[in-house]
């Protein structure tokens, strides 16, 4: 079939600067005239070295407006001279699977339609993210180029008559403006599952699960349902009752698809009954994970990373590749640093955002990395990977033949415990949140604060360092400034403040608090009790309540 494209006049729309991971806005914003078209045209022009002859992957988390956006992107790719698009069946593909497919088929990148852990539906959020040919989120120099295009755009190209049926797997070749344009619709799950089977020892995981272990996985009505069913039930033989909320829904069934103790409360309650040995939840697009043990024993993402770092070589992939190093985002606790030190490995500290790990992986500097925001992954792809993390944990448990709780407690016995908590203050008034950050910036800019002592309860902490974190990428020397306020005390305890980069409206303040203990008598204490003095100091120094009017956080992890 032959088609022709047309150019449509448009003008720049304010506020299309990608955040921590893509452009996340309310669906209503995306539905404004030319909003999606402008951003997609800017991705094609700013994200790809050369559009002509390129191949792109398209997939998303199934949220409201995702399918329409996928069809629109196909029409725009056709008009702009892209040679081929590889599209997920029904446009449904998890973020890690898109990364896997970009790498497997050596494409020029991909467009992921997701607002990740943000709620979905007509009154909630949508998002578009561009990943580059290494399979990872576009780095800042690329997102800057995309943003620049959004500020100068005056037309977009589209082939409006090209209608593709996303429900039919297979390949179709069209002629658009005399050029060939191929649309290949692929199974959403197969490539990813095949890869997992190369990375992990599936027969041994199957044995482990068949030895009476009960697992419970919550896909939160996001994209992960089909992956979890295929891997956990079909491949590893767990009963169907082991997986819940497995049908991807446009509004996630009204859930907030963020796997933490607050938003995955149903899973926590079920695990608390003590009938399951292992529990896990995923976010909307499947890159985040939460790990729970029997009786809802919670593994902090920072501890999860450290435990996996300790046992990494029990996973066949790492037996083959060797362990090349570790990394964590700056606010993530230093538990993994202790493992790195013992194992004589390098541990990198990067700003928040998975995109910062990509260069290190491409340069062969790191095998395993993670973030406190429930992200764990390795250099097998260039996105964090929820199901990979679950399979990695099951591999460790099978290898050690112990419970989740025992495994974490053994870890504390070996390394001491990095107590950790994060307070989220969601939907703050932007002006007030900025005022608080200005206040903190002034604080860290004032050298006389170094050496100051703060006391709360029976503890006293002395400020050793105070700054706004700045990162120089060791591979390309690019510099990323203002990545979070840090107060580091003489005993290594830390208080960190930053504004979320993934919200779609208002401001979310994140306050991270970390303190280390190596007295075994304290290992089992409640982090909220152990960290109380530091939390009080953080609230006092930041003037959070005074400047924002907020007395308590909306989420505590
Ligand atoms: C995204 C990034 C993560 C990052 C997180 C931080 O997560 O992919 O690498 O840690 O944002 O979020 P915030 O800026 O809100 O603290 P996701 O799962 O939303 O893609």
């Amino acid at each position: 079939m032959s088609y022709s494209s047309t150019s449509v006049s448009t003008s720049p729309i304010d506020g299309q600067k990608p955040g921590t991971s893509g452009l996340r806005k309310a669906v209503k914003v995306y539905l404004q005239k030319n909003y999606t078209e402008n951003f997609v045209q800017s991705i094609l022009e700013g994200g790809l070295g050369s559009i002509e002859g390129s191949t792109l992957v398209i997939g998303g988390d199934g949220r409201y407006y995702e399918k329409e956006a996928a069809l629109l992107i196909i029409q725009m790719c056709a008009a702009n001279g892209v040679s081929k698009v590889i599209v997920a069946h029904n446009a449904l593909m998890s973020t890690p699977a898109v990364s896997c497919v970009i790498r497997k088929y050596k494409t020029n990148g991909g467009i992921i339609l997701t607002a990740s852990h943000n709620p979905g539906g007509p009154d909630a959020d949508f998002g578009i993210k561009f990943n580059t040919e290494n399979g990872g989120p576009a780095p800042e120099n690329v997102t800057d180029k995309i943003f620049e295009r959004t500020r100068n755009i005056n037309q977009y190209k589209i082939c409006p008559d090209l209608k593709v049926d996303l429900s039919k797997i297979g390949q179709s070749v069209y002629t658009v403006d005399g050029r060939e344009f191929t649309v290949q619709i692929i199974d959403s799950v197969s490539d990813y599952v095949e890869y997992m089977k190369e990375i992990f020892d599936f027969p041994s995981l199957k044995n482990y699960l068949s030895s009476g272990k009960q697992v419970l996985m919550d896909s939160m009505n996001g994209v992960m349902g089909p992956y979890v069913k295929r891997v956990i039930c079909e491949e590893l033989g767990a009963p169907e009752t082991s997986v819940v909320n497995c049908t991807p829904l446009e509004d996630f069934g009204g859930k907030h698809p963020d796997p933490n103790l607050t938003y995955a409360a149903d899973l926590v309650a079920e695990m608390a009954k003590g009938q399951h040995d292992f529990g896990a939840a995923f976010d909307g697009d499947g890159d985040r994970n939460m790990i729970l043990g029997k009786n809802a024993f919670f593994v902090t993402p920072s501890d999860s990373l450290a435990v996996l770092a300790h046992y990494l070589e029990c996973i066949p992939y790492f037996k083959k590749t060797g362990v090349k190093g570790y990394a964590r985002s700056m606010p993530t606790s230093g538990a993994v640093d202790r493992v790195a030190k013992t194992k004589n490995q390098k541990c990198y500290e990067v700003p928040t955002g998975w995109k910062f790990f990509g260069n290190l992986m491409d340069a062969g500097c790191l095998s395993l990395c993670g973030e406190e925001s429930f992200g764990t992954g390795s250099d097998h792809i260039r996105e964090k990977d929820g199901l990979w993390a679950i399979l990695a944990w099951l591999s460790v448990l099978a290898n050690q033949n112990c419970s989740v709780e025992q495994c974490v407690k053994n870890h504390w016995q070996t390394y001491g415990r990095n107590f950790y908590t994060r307070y989220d203050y969601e939907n703050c008034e932007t002006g007030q949140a900025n005022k608080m950050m200005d206040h903190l910036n002034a604080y860290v800019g004032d050298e006389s604060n170094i050496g100051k002592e703060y006391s709360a309860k029976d503890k006293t902490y002395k400020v050793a360092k105070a700054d706004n974190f700045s990162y120089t990428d060791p591979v390309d020397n690019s510099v990323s400034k203002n990545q979070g306020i840090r107060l580091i005390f003489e005993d290594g305890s830390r208080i960190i403040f930053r504004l979320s980069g993934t919200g779609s409206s208002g401001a979310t303040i994140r306050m991270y608090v970390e303190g280390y203990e190596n007295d075994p008598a304290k290992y089992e204490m409640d982090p909220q009790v152990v960290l109380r003095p530091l939390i009080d100091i953080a609230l006092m120094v930041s003037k959070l309540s005074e400047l924002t009017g907020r007395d308590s956080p909306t989420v505590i992890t």
Side-chain angles (χ1 to χ4, degrees), residues 465-507:
K465 187 172 179 178
D467 67 2
N468 195 333
F469 181 60
S470 174
Y471 176 67
T472 303
D473 185 301
V475 180
D476 64 15
N477 290 318
S478 58
V479 178
S480 304
K481 291 187 177 157
N482 301 322
Q483 297 295 323
I485 297 289
R486 300 192 295 184
L487 263 76
I488 305 177
F489 298 99
E490 269 185 355
D491 71 345
S493 304
R494 299 190 305 160
I495 292 171
I496 294 151
F497 284 91
R498 56 180 284 280
L499 297 184
S500 158
T502 58
S504 62
S505 60

Side-chain angles (χ1 to χ4, degrees), residues 397-471:
L397 297 177
N399 180 270
Q400 291 299 300
N401 199 18
C402 68
S403 69
V404 173
E405 182 168 348
Q406 202 50 57
C407 187
V408 173
K409 288 183 174 168
N410 290 347
H411 191 88
W412 296 339
Q413 289 296 337
T414 310
Y415 293 103
R417 179 171 180 189
N418 287 69
F419 281 89
Y420 192 80
T421 190
R422 180 176 112 179
Y423 280 29
D424 295 338
Y425 298 81
E426 296 169 318
N427 286 319
C428 290
E429 203 268 305
T430 308
Q432 293 178 338
N434 286 339
K435 220 178 205 171
M436 190 202 78
M437 291 306 283
D438 289 347
H439 161 71
L440 283 166
N441 263 311
Y443 178 95
V444 300
D446 179 354
E447 280 186 15
S448 70
N449 285 319
I450 308 295
K452 248 192 195 158
E453 288 189 356
Y454 293 98
S455 297
K457 309 256 184 287
D458 55 339
K459 291 272 212 172
T460 298
Y461 296 90
K462 192 170 182 180
V463 180
K465 187 172 179 178
D467 67 2
N468 195 333
F469 181 60
S470 174
Y471 176 67

Side-chain angles (χ1 to χ4, degrees), residues 20 24 116-117 288 354 371 373 384 498 500-502 510:
T20 308
R24 293 184 193 171
S116 193
H117 58 282
R288 295 187 175 202
W354 207 261
E371 297 186 277
S373 54
K384 55 190 188 272
R498 56 180 284 280
S500 158
T502 58
R510 302 213 194 280

Side-chain angles (χ1 to χ4, degrees), residues 123-326:
D123 297 320
D125 287 349
F126 188 68
I128 301 183
K129 182 166 98 157
F130 178 65
N131 280 29
T132 52
E133 61 189 353
N134 74 349
E140 278 183 340
N141 63 337
V142 176
T143 53
D144 285 350
K145 269 192 212 150
I146 294 171
F147 179 49
E148 198 45 46
R149 297 285 167 145
T150 69
R151 300 192 338 156
N152 297 304
I153 190 165
N154 55 27
Q155 62 165 23
Y156 66 84
K157 293 183 192 159
I158 189 158
C159 182
D161 299 327
L162 181 70
K163 310 277 186 228
V164 173
D165 181 355
L166 296 175
S167 69
K168 293 205 174 81
I169 290 180
Q171 183 160 303
S172 309
V173 182
Y174 306 91
T175 305
V176 178
D177 301 334
R179 289 182 305 252
E180 266 195 4
F181 177 64
T182 304
V183 178
Q184 187 186 359
I185 299 180
I186 61 169
D187 182 85
S188 309
V189 181
S190 300
D191 291 303
Y192 176 84
V193 174
E194 234 171 69
Y195 195 28
M196 288 303 113
K197 287 168 93 167
E198 280 173 36
I199 293 172
F200 296 101
D201 181 350
F202 269 45
S204 113
L205 293 178
K206 192 170 182 174
N207 264 342
Y208 177 70
L209 289 187
S210 67
S211 67
K213 297 284 179 294
Q214 304 293 327
V215 300
L216 187 61
M217 315 255 165
D218 189 343
S219 296
M220 312 268 282
N221 300 319
V223 76
M224 284 313 284
Y227 296 83
V228 172
K229 272 188 168 171
R230 181 98 142 244
V231 171
I232 303 297
C233 301
E234 287 173 36
E235 295 286 345
L236 300 180
E240 289 270 325
T241 48
S242 311
V243 296
V244 292
N245 297 319
C246 279
T247 307
L249 299 175
E250 287 193 336
D251 65 349
F252 306 111
K255 279 177 181 284
H256 188 150
D258 197 358
N260 60 39
L261 295 172
T262 302
Y263 295 128
D266 293 349
L267 176 77
V268 177
E270 205 47 43
M271 289 297 297
K273 294 179 183 164
Q275 287 156 6
H276 297 91
D277 303 284
F278 181 88
F282 307 93
D283 68 340
D285 64 328
D287 53 2
R288 295 187 175 202
N289 75 92
M290 176 171 74
I291 308 282
L292 297 173
K294 206 179 190 118
N295 302 317
F297 179 86
F298 172 62
V299 185
T300 68
S302 298
D303 276 352
S304 171
L305 174 65
V307 169
L308 292 182
H310 181 80
Y311 293 113
L312 206 56
E313 271 153 332
C314 78
I315 297 169
Y317 175 89
F318 299 103
K319 268 191 202 132
K320 224 184 296 161
T321 64
V323 177
K324 299 167 188 159
Y326 309 117

Side-chain angles (χ1 to χ4, degrees), residues 33-67:
K33 188 163 188 265
N34 294 347
Y35 194 93
T36 307
E37 290 84 347
N38 275 17
F39 192 61
V40 172
Q41 186 68 35
S42 301
I43 286 180
L44 295 175
E45 290 176 9
L48 290 166
S50 152
I51 307 179
E52 290 266 326
S54 59
T55 299
L56 284 176
V57 181
I58 301 170
D61 62 13
R63 68 180 57 228
Y64 184 82
Y65 183 54
E66 199 242 298
K67 243 184 228 163

